Amino acid sequence: MVKLLRKIGNLCVKNFLPIHIFYGLLVLVVSLQSWLLEPKIINGLLYCHYNNYVIFKQSFFHLINNQDLYSLYVNEQRDLFKYSPTFSLLFAPLAILPDIIGLILWNALNAFLLVYSVKLLPGFSDKAKIKILFFVLLELNTSLQNSQSNGLMVALILIGFCLFERGFFFVGVSCIVLTGFIKIYGLIALGLLVFYPTKIKHAIYTLLNIAFFLILPLIVIPVKQLVFLYQSWGNLLLGDHSSAYGLSVIGWLNSWFHVMPNKTIVSLVGVLILGLPLLWSKRYSSDSFRMMWLANVLVWMVIFNHMAESPTFIIAVVGVILWYFAKPATFTSQVVILLVFVFTILSRTDIFPKYVKDHFFDPYMIKVVPCILCWVVICYDSIFGKEEKLEINVDNPRSL
């Protein structure tokens, strides 16, 4: 572990100074803007612009007061809490701080953990990593403006993968299991363990981590209350599954073709296609193949998530850019990356008139369409593409 920490320290080179400045300024500007804006009046009640942060903060106090985390507290927050009791407990260090300090630290955690996770990626030069971080900057901004946890989610998955690549499996599993206690679909990233030997040991690590995070809230609440909270959480997730389709494959099918297929069937088909490249076990030794499957997972998590919103797309966009760098550039990859940049990343910015966003982008789910197209191409490349060795630098054809 000391050796690993030393390597992480060596990655903090001066080449990344502009990125740290950009990301630091983004965190400060977004946090201060959210804190200073006048509260919104909804149904006669005042709600601040960092409502998601308030939801996370209040969940800790609801937890220690033995309240139902998954009830709607309209006098405190505008929406429901949808994460695990464990997340509520882990939010305690921020919850006890004044809002402005806690909000800045929360956004900084999401932003800078993403920076360090990209720094850890194997097979990429520093210049390539900097380009990756600039490419995802606007999409991260969307997540931070909503005080969301998506930067943290994707960072933990990337760190988990990087630790797997370096042989630190227990800590890597901990990172990915933790994402499942933020947003449960993060657990799909545990499929990355199939690429590495000693699978029984990895299964034990996974079970130990799940058990640990499951019971962690017992530090502050009794067993009976914890069981009740997990039941309440499960009911909430089931209700969400039946009532929403979000910026997803389901939403796209509904808006373009006016069909509403069974969500469970669509998800199962998505899982089967996601797992199809894993049948080619001889390719597991290819670092390019492993990177592309990681990208596949990240895009899958968003486009097959019936609750996906615009702030969620930082996860998919990171997957898209990893896929782009994991293989030689082609005409197809250049077109796809351009479509993602214009119609996914820029779709919520002022570069497009409000009329276009309201009457074209929103009703036709345009933001998700390039990501669906990219996911199809990633699946094709994973199954039929040639094995590549990741030796990426700023001078070769793979660079942006």
Side-chain angles (χ1 to χ4, degrees):
M1 183 58 69
V2 173
K3 184 178 179 182
L4 174 64
L5 292 174
R6 188 181 297 117
K7 287 183 178 180
I8 295 174
N10 292 336
L11 286 169
C12 301
V13 295
K14 63 181 180 181
N15 292 347
F16 287 92
L17 181 60
I19 280 291
H20 286 119
I21 294 173
F22 270 103
Y23 274 62
L25 288 173
L26 177 66
V27 167
L28 284 175
V29 170
V30 168
S31 301
L32 290 172
Q33 181 188 46
S34 298
W35 187 62
L36 291 172
L37 283 172
E38 289 293 324
K40 299 177 182 179
I41 301 177
I42 301 176
N43 296 327
L45 296 172
L46 292 177
Y47 297 108
C48 62
H49 283 261
Y50 52 96
N51 182 69
N52 285 315
Y53 174 81
V54 172
I55 292 173
F56 303 151
K57 171 182 176 175
Q58 291 302 115
S59 74
F60 169 69
F61 297 109
H62 297 156
L63 179 73
I64 61 177
N65 289 322
N66 289 313
Q67 295 171 273
D68 185 358
L69 298 178
Y70 308 102
S71 294
L72 182 58
Y73 298 91
V74 293
N75 292 322
E76 300 174 9
Q77 58 205 43
R78 195 173 69 246
D79 203 353
L80 291 164
F81 176 74
K82 298 177 181 179
Y83 297 172
S84 73
T86 301
F87 179 87
S88 299
L89 177 64
L90 295 177
F91 210 82
L94 298 178
I96 62 176
L97 296 173
D99 280 2
I100 182 56
I101 298 175
L103 180 61
I104 292 173
L105 291 176
W106 170 242
N107 285 333
L109 176 65
N110 278 267
F112 284 104
L113 201 63
L114 178 59
V115 172
Y116 292 118
S117 68
V118 171
K119 283 183 177 183
L120 283 175
L121 286 171
F124 296 98
S125 71
D126 284 351
K127 289 183 179 179
K129 293 173 182 177
I130 289 169
K131 290 188 174 187
I132 289 171
L133 288 166
F134 272 117
F135 184 81
V136 305
L137 186 61
L138 284 176
E139 204 59 57
L140 177 66
N141 175 63
T142 301
S143 182
L144 296 182
Q145 285 180 327
N146 290 271
S147 311
Q148 279 283 11
S149 61
N150 299 302
L152 176 61
M153 282 282 297
V154 68
L156 287 172
I157 292 170
L158 293 186
I159 291 171
F161 171 77
C162 294
L163 291 173
F164 292 165
E165 290 287 291
R166 291 164 169 81
F168 297 92
F169 291 101
F170 187 84
V171 182
V173 168
S174 299
C175 290
I176 293 179
V177 168
L178 180 56
T179 68
F181 284 84
I182 302 173
K183 297 184 178 181
I184 198 164
Y185 57 77
L187 293 175
I188 196 74
L190 288 171
L192 292 163
L193 288 168
V194 75
F195 297 133
Y196 310 99
T198 62
K199 292 178 177 57
I200 294 178
K201 184 185 292 186
H202 300 158
I204 294 172
Y205 290 165
T206 300
L207 293 174
L208 288 174
N209 274 284
I210 290 175
F212 171 75
F213 286 117
L214 275 173
I215 66 173
L216 190 60
L218 293 178
I219 296 173
V220 294
I221 59 174
V223 174
K224 184 178 179 180
Q225 176 66 7
L226 183 59
V227 172
F228 164 76
L229 289 177
Y230 281 122
Q231 290 173 340
S232 184
W233 187 33
N235 292 334
L236 175 67
L237 295 179
L238 289 173
D240 278 345
H241 185 269
S242 63
S243 63
Y245 48 78
L247 286 166
S248 64
V249 170
I250 293 285
W252 168 66
L253 290 173
N254 180 260
S255 63
W256 282 40
F257 306 105
H258 306 292
V259 297
M260 181 54 73
N262 183 280
K263 295 179 182 178
T264 302
I265 293 176
V266 172
S267 297
L268 288 175
V269 170
V271 169
L272 289 174
I273 297 174
L274 176 67
L276 192 59
L278 301 180
L279 296 176
W280 281 260
S281 58
K282 292 182 179 179
R283 301 187 66 196
Y284 289 3
S285 60
S286 166
D287 47 6
S288 176
F289 179 80
R290 297 193 301 275
M291 186 68 72
M292 277 201 292
W293 202 77
L294 169 64
N296 196 336
V297 168
L298 294 176
V299 179
W300 185 95
M301 284 182 181
V302 176
I303 66 173
F304 284 93
N305 176 11
H306 64 279
M307 294 298 294
E309 303 171 300
S310 186
T312 317
F313 275 75
I314 178 61
I315 299 172
V317 166
V318 170
V320 169
I321 194 62
L322 291 183
W323 157 77
Y324 180 81
F325 274 116
K327 60 188 290 296
T330 63
F331 175 76
T332 299
S333 65
Q334 297 281 0
V335 170
V336 170
I337 204 74
L338 180 62
L339 290 174
V340 170
F341 183 74
V342 174
F343 293 106
T344 296
I345 295 177
L346 297 181
S347 65
R348 302 310 304 167
T349 66
D350 291 336
I351 194 172
F352 293 105
K354 187 177 186 300
Y355 181 87
V356 173
K357 289 186 281 190
D358 291 344
H359 293 85
F360 179 62
F361 278 34
D362 290 347
Y364 291 102
M365 305 282 181
I366 298 302
K367 188 176 180 76
V368 73
V369 175
C371 293
I372 295 173
L373 173 62
C374 184
W375 184 73
V376 172
V377 177
I378 293 173
C379 290
Y380 180 88
D381 286 344
S382 298
I383 296 170
F384 301 106
K386 296 180 181 179
E387 294 183 8
E388 297 288 335
K389 182 174 178 60
L390 288 177
E391 295 176 349
I392 298 172
N393 57 67
V394 75
D395 300 317
N396 75 14
R398 304 176 193 180
S399 299
L400 288 173

